[in-house]
Amino acid sequence: MQSTQVEDEDYSTVPEDWRRPLWIRFLASLALLGFLVGLMIGRLTDSPARLLEVQPLEQGLALYFDHRPKLQEQWHEGTFSLLIDAWGVPQKGQVRVQDALVNWRLNPLVQTQLKQQLSLGFVAVRPLQARWSQKEVEQGWRLEIELNAL
């Protein structure tokens, strides 16, 4: 007697290869892992700049760094300040701008083992205008701040 059921081996479809989607996922996870490890190594090797010297100028200040720092300027009611991603020691002084004394102060804001941020603030009796520029010099990097009293 013959069976009325069709044998599976005679009329079967090719089984789906389940290894292919796993191989794509595996390669994608390796690429993502490599990207994340690269970001972590980049963060560890990115050393912040170091403040080497502060020099008063006729109309402002010149700051010397070992390499280019990241900067962010802030204005608040006639005062001017710069946030500088760099290592440095607190300092303060005065600069004469158009017969007006301008007090400046350099203070560390954020200090961890890997990062320090400095705040360079200028305060005067009259409101201030400031322009800053950066350029590469022999010793490293120079940040020049030119002040004008209104």
Side-chain angles (χ1 to χ4, degrees), residues 46-60:
D46 183 27
S47 63
R50 289 199 178 277
L51 178 64
L52 302 175
E53 180 183 0
V54 178
Q55 239 179 26
L57 301 174
E58 283 185 30
Q59 297 289 319

Side-chain angles (χ1 to χ4, degrees), residues 1-73:
M1 221 166 137
Q2 285 189 351
S3 167
T4 58
Q5 295 178 350
V6 179
E7 293 183 14
D8 289 338
E9 294 177 7
D10 291 342
Y11 300 101
S12 65
T13 58
V14 177
E16 202 172 305
D17 188 12
W18 54 271
R19 291 176 291 180
R20 183 174 176 175
L22 289 179
W23 183 247
I24 292 172
R25 284 185 185 175
F26 175 72
L27 290 178
S29 65
L30 279 181
L32 180 63
L33 184 65
F35 177 71
L36 293 175
V37 168
L39 283 177
M40 287 189 294
I41 290 173
R43 293 276 299 196
L44 290 175
T45 59
D46 183 27
S47 63
R50 289 199 178 277
L51 178 64
L52 302 175
E53 180 183 0
V54 178
Q55 239 179 26
L57 301 174
E58 283 185 30
Q59 297 289 319
L61 282 179
L63 287 82
Y64 293 91
F65 299 93
D66 60 352
H67 64 276
R68 184 179 189 163
K70 296 176 187 173
L71 300 172
Q72 180 183 358
E73 67 179 29

